[in-house]
């Protein structure tokens, strides 16, 4: 993520599901950055000198969890002030920075307890694991496991809010008290005591140290380090300059520029809100000069920002979890995402082209060097991105590929005197790589509570059976229910947590109805991400509205219109036999044909939602889009015919009424 100003950081904190971190200062800031840098360095070394699985995950969490308590506020200070009737602290001076903060004694105690309960098993990891597998935990084991559970609930409360912590707590309550449910209830079970729960969550790889934690400690940390190195080496500025230089002459150019810049910035940011804010600070003045209304500009900013999580080569944290769940390479997940990403951006570009005519926007001149000059001077920033894909195609692991790409990005930084990465910048990049992964680490570790209890109680399959029954065994109804459920879940919890919960509960329901695992997981992934642009919360859209000063609700609806293909295309690769072609699976001819048909469907959607066509044409275009997305011969031919009628009506009306 690009380095944000204080104002931009406040916007991200206000509108992202992750809570704001403390502003540290003095020796504490130095100490935290040193620990963060050391954890990043350890993560890089482990790629080439592997450590035993659970030992690596415990070691990573043993450093990361204490840092969470030192870096993130409890959020309880306002309640304490009201309770004790103490005055509010004075605000910082206009334009000034927030003063440095010091952790409270409670924060230090929680950090120390985190370190103790995670280092304790590492003192004799083999004996600890044996006790867990033999259900012979000592009292110390049980107490340490309970303490770690409480600490993780507090960590996610601090980093992503109450909602996810409460959800985790409900799963624990269900596991312990499940025997009190009526015996004829599908979700009833015999109940488990504290020792059994601790054994499941603490001593193996089914709970805290499961697949989500593996993803945080291996994939995500490496990509956040890579993103930080790219940013410090000047790549973020180059991407923005290149986007402005590439589209500077047409009236649709400002909108296309913002969308392209959002895609490129996504390589150094895993956050839709952060990309929206960092992009908006540069792009909103350009969109305003071009003549875009505030709400339309906000919609473009939010759509471009959320596209960062949907787009190769980095995608979001949930994509790494998909690779682990499916047991495939990360390159394979990138291939799954390629065609939907192209369709997503095609939809945005078409909508922008229509809106530029509808709003009467104009070209805006931005003072940047030409495309050729920028590429000749700074085009090397693309090399590390391409290298990741090439190395994975040559059967290098994703871990090794991103580390090598990080090293190349570091070396290439010396080609730009303004962004040479000396020892100080290297240390800052390593530290930032760790600090940016702390909220995700807390979420992934706490998600082990949900995954572990579902595995222990068999709840996942029971809930899947209920979902299938509610859908009457109909795939269309069940898929629609699944989409709504994931979107609602995303209102309360971050994308990564939303995906994990939905994958273990909704995934089996789709499997039972014949959906393949890649299709089911990619469907859940897209809807987990789209929760950030879905009314009534739409976090990225709210952040964009804060930048442009537009109406929040109208900005949400504009964002929804720009991102509409991303809401409908996932249905195509779940509900239709040829849908797997949109995940680049199947014969090349089928993949190309279905991609072309889907592109026409996206164009029809743009016509249906655009401001140029009238309602009869829009209705016909919408019907055509739905028919085309069935991806079967008869619906395709019918859809093309309906779309042809819509286009003919539009052309006929345009000639009769040029206005």
């Amino acid at each position: 993520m690009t380095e944000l100003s204080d104002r931009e950081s406040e916007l991200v904190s206000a509108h992202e599901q992750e809570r704001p971190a403390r502003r540290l200062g003095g020796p504490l800031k130095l100490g935290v950055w040193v620990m963060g840098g050391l954890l990043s360095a350890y993560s890089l070394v482990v790629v080439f000198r592997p450590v035993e699985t659970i030992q690596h995950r415990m070691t990573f969490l043993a450093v990361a969890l204490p840092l969470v308590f030192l870096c993130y506020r409890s959020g309880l200070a306002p309640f304490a002030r009201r309770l004790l009737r103490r005055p509010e602290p004075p605000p910082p001076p206009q334009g000034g920075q927030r003063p440095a903060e010091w952790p409270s004694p409670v924060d230090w105690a929680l950090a120390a307890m985190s370190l103790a309960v995670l280092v304790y098993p590492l003192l004799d990891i083999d004996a600890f694991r044996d006790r867990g597998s033999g259900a012979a935990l000592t009292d110390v084991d049980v107490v340490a496991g309970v303490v770690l559970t409480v600490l993780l609930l507090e960590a996610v409360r601090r980093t992503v809010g109450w909602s996810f912590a409460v959800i985790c707590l409900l799963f624990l309550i269900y596991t312990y008290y499940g025997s009190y449910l009526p015996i004829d209830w599908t979700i009833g079970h015999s109940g488990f005591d504290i020792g059994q729960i601790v054994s499941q969550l603490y001593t193996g790889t089914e709970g805290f140290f499961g697949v989500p934690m593996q993803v945080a400690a291996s994939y995500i940390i490496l990509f956040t380090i890579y993103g930080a190195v790219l940013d410090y080496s000047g790549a973020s500025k180059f991407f923005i300059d290149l986007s402005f230089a590439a589209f500077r002459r047409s009236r649709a150019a400002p909108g296309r520029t913002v969308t392209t810049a959002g895609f490129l910035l996504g390589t150094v940011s895993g956050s839709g809100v952060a990309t929206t804010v960092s992009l908006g600070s540069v792009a909103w003045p350009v969109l305003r000069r071009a003549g875009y209304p505030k709400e339309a500009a906000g919609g473009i900013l939010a759509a471009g920002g959320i596209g960062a999580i949907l787009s190769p080569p980095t995608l979001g944290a949930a994509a790494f979890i998909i690779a682990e769940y499916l047991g495939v390479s990360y390159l394979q997940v990138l291939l799954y995402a390629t065609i939907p990403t192209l369709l997503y951006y095609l939809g945005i570009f078409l909508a922008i082209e229509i809106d530029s005519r509808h709003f009467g926007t104009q070209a805006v001149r931005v003072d940047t060097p030409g495309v050729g000059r920028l590429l000749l001077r700074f085009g090397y920033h693309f090399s590390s991105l391409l290298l990741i894909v090439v190395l994975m195609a040559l059967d290098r692991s994703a871990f090794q590929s991103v580390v090598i790409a990080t090293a190349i990005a570091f070396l290439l930084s010396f080609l730009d005197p303004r962004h040479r990465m000396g020892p100080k910048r290297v240390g800052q990049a390593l530290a930032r790589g760790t600090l940016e992964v702390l909220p995700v680490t807390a979420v992934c570790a706490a998600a082990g509570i949900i995954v572990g209890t579902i595995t222990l109680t068999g709840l996942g399959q029971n809930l899947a059976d209920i979902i299938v029954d509610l859908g009457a065994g109909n795939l269309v109804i069940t898929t629609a229910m699944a989409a709504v459920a994931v979107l609602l879940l995303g209102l309360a919890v971050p994308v990564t947590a939303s995906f994990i919960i939905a994958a273990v509960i909704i995934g089996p329901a789709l499997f039972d109805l014949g959906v393949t695992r890649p299709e089911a997981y990619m469907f859940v992934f897209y809807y987990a991400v789209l929760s950030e642009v879905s009314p009534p919360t739409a976090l990225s859209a709210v952040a964009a509205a804060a930048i442009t000063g537009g109406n929040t609700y109208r900005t949400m609806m504009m964002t929804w219109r720009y991102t509409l293909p991303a809401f409908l295309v996932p249905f195509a690769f779940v509900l239709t036999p040829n849908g797997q072609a949109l995940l680049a699976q199947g014969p090349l001819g089928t993949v190309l044909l279905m991609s072309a048909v889907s592109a026409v469907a996206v164009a029809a959607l743009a016509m249906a939602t655009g401001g140029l066509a009238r309602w009869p044409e829009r209705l016909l275009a919408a019907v055509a889009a739905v028919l085309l997305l069935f991806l079967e011969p008869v619906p395709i031919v019918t859809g093309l015919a309906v779309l042809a009628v819509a286009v003919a009506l539009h052309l006929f009306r345009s000639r009769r009424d040029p206005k």
Side-chain angles (χ1 to χ4, degrees):
M1 184 175 64
T2 55
E3 195 72 46
L4 301 176
S5 68
D6 276 359
R7 166 61 178 158
E8 292 165 349
S9 297
E10 289 174 5
L11 283 174
V12 173
S13 298
H15 302 298
E16 195 171 32
Q17 282 169 314
E18 294 175 2
R19 303 277 80 80
R22 284 190 174 100
R23 185 180 184 88
L24 302 176
L28 177 61
K29 179 179 180 179
L30 177 61
V32 166
W33 278 63
V34 168
M35 292 305 299
L38 290 175
L39 183 57
S40 288
Y42 163 78
S43 300
L44 293 171
V45 170
V46 166
V47 172
F48 298 98
R49 300 191 64 179
V51 176
E52 195 270 335
T53 301
I54 193 170
Q55 184 176 351
H56 168 56
R57 299 173 193 179
M58 279 186 178
T59 302
F60 187 90
L61 191 58
V63 179
L65 189 56
L67 288 177
V68 168
F69 292 113
L70 297 181
C71 293
Y72 286 83
R73 311 179 189 94
S74 69
L76 301 178
F79 299 102
R81 281 195 296 269
R82 284 197 292 269
L83 183 65
L84 299 175
R85 297 182 179 178
R86 292 178 178 175
E88 293 285 335
Q94 186 70 26
Q97 294 183 335
R98 289 183 286 113
E101 301 170 72
W102 191 261
S104 69
V106 173
D107 298 323
W108 285 103
L110 294 176
M113 291 166 64
S114 302
L115 185 63
V117 297
L118 286 162
V119 169
Y120 159 70
L122 293 172
L123 299 176
D124 192 348
I125 188 66
D126 292 332
F128 177 76
R129 190 168 39 220
D130 290 342
R131 292 196 300 273
S133 60
L137 297 180
T138 66
D139 291 342
V140 176
D141 295 333
V142 174
V143 170
V146 171
V147 170
L148 180 57
T149 303
V150 174
L151 290 170
L152 286 174
L153 292 175
E154 171 61 10
V156 294
R157 187 195 66 80
R158 290 185 178 214
T159 54
V160 299
W162 283 96
S163 299
F164 187 51
V166 170
I167 290 172
C168 292
L169 184 60
L170 290 175
F171 274 90
L172 286 170
I173 293 172
Y174 163 76
T175 305
Y176 187 76
Y177 288 106
S179 59
Y180 291 93
L181 295 175
I183 194 169
D184 57 338
W185 281 25
T186 304
I187 61 173
H189 60 81
S190 58
F192 298 90
D193 61 31
I194 292 178
Q196 291 171 304
I197 296 173
V198 167
S199 178
Q200 176 78 358
L201 301 182
Y202 186 38
T203 64
T205 56
E206 295 288 340
F208 305 138
F209 311 109
V211 169
M213 189 63 222
Q214 167 67 11
V215 168
S218 299
Y219 287 102
I220 301 175
I221 179 66
L222 297 178
F223 274 87
T224 56
I225 295 170
Y226 171 63
V229 170
L230 268 185
D231 191 27
Y232 277 105
S233 66
S236 298
K237 183 179 186 304
F238 163 68
F239 292 151
I240 292 176
D241 288 345
L242 181 64
S243 299
F244 279 106
F247 303 106
R248 61 165 105 196
R249 295 187 179 178
S250 73
R251 58 186 174 186
R256 292 200 300 261
T257 295
V258 172
T259 304
T260 304
F263 169 73
L264 294 174
L265 282 177
T267 60
V268 294
S269 170
S271 164
V273 174
T275 303
T276 298
V277 170
S278 58
L279 181 62
S281 61
V282 177
W284 163 231
V286 176
L287 293 173
R288 181 173 53 202
R289 286 164 53 198
Y292 279 96
K294 296 176 180 179
E295 290 78 14
I300 293 173
L301 290 172
I306 202 64
I309 308 180
L310 293 169
S311 305
T314 52
L315 297 177
F320 302 112
I321 299 175
I322 292 174
E324 290 292 317
Y325 279 173
L326 293 177
V328 300
S329 69
Y330 182 61
L331 179 61
Q332 185 63 57
V333 179
L334 294 185
L335 290 175
Y336 293 156
T338 298
I339 295 173
T341 296
L342 293 175
L343 295 174
Y344 176 81
Y345 282 101
L346 173 64
I348 294 177
F349 280 129
L350 290 174
I352 286 172
E353 186 67 35
I354 292 172
D355 280 356
S356 68
R357 300 172 186 275
H358 178 61
F359 296 129
T361 61
Q362 59 188 6
V364 175
R365 180 173 178 81
V366 180
D367 188 18
T368 61
V371 174
R373 184 178 174 186
L374 280 170
L375 288 174
L376 285 174
R377 180 64 184 88
F378 300 109
Y380 59 81
H381 285 300
F382 285 118
S383 60
S384 62
L385 292 169
L386 295 174
L387 185 61
I388 292 176
V389 178
V390 170
L391 289 173
M392 287 193 292
L394 295 174
D395 287 333
R396 284 274 190 172
S397 70
F399 311 124
Q400 293 182 356
S401 299
V402 71
V403 171
I404 294 172
T406 302
I408 295 300
F410 160 72
L411 293 174
L412 291 175
S413 72
F414 289 92
L415 296 177
D416 183 358
R418 296 171 300 171
H419 295 97
R420 287 175 181 167
M421 293 196 66
K424 181 178 179 180
R425 280 178 174 263
V426 169
Q428 290 174 331
L430 290 174
R432 206 168 95 187
T434 288
L435 297 181
E436 288 186 356
V437 87
L438 291 182
V440 178
T441 301
V443 167
C444 287
I449 295 174
I450 296 172
V451 176
T453 54
I454 283 177
T455 303
L456 185 64
T457 61
L459 178 64
Q461 189 57 54
N462 291 336
L463 289 178
D465 293 340
I466 293 173
I467 292 171
V468 172
D469 290 341
L470 289 174
N474 183 284
L475 181 58
V476 175
I477 297 174
T478 302
T479 304
M481 290 171 53
V484 173
V486 179
L487 288 176
L488 292 175
L489 184 61
L491 302 181
V493 299
V495 170
T496 305
S498 176
F499 172 80
I500 293 170
I501 297 171
V504 297
I505 294 176
I506 294 173
L510 297 177
F511 304 156
D512 289 347
L513 294 176
V515 179
T516 67
R517 293 170 67 84
E519 293 164 353
Y521 284 141
M522 291 301 289
F523 177 88
V524 171
F525 167 67
Y526 276 97
Y527 271 89
V529 172
L530 291 170
S531 64
E532 287 207 7
V533 291
S534 303
T537 54
L539 300 173
S540 291
V542 173
I547 293 171
T548 65
N551 177 275
T552 301
Y553 176 74
R554 288 199 291 270
T555 301
M556 287 183 190
M557 298 312 296
M558 288 297 295
T559 304
W560 180 83
R561 183 165 73 81
Y562 284 123
T563 59
L564 183 60
F567 284 87
L568 296 185
V569 169
F571 278 95
F573 54 69
V574 169
L575 297 178
T576 68
N578 287 324
Q580 63 179 353
L582 299 184
L583 299 180
Q585 299 182 91
L588 179 60
T590 302
V591 170
L592 294 176
L593 177 60
M594 293 304 110
S595 298
V597 171
S598 299
V600 176
V602 168
L605 284 173
M607 181 178 179
T609 59
L612 294 180
R614 292 183 178 176
W615 73 263
E617 303 151 20
R618 292 189 184 192
L619 180 60
L620 288 172
V623 171
V626 172
L627 288 171
L628 289 168
L629 286 175
F630 274 98
L631 302 180
E632 292 294 318
V634 173
I636 289 174
V637 172
T638 307
L640 290 173
V642 174
L643 181 59
V645 173
V647 172
L649 280 176
H650 178 67
L651 293 176
F652 177 73
R653 178 187 60 80
S654 299
R655 288 176 181 176
R656 289 190 59 185
D657 183 13
K659 295 181 181 181

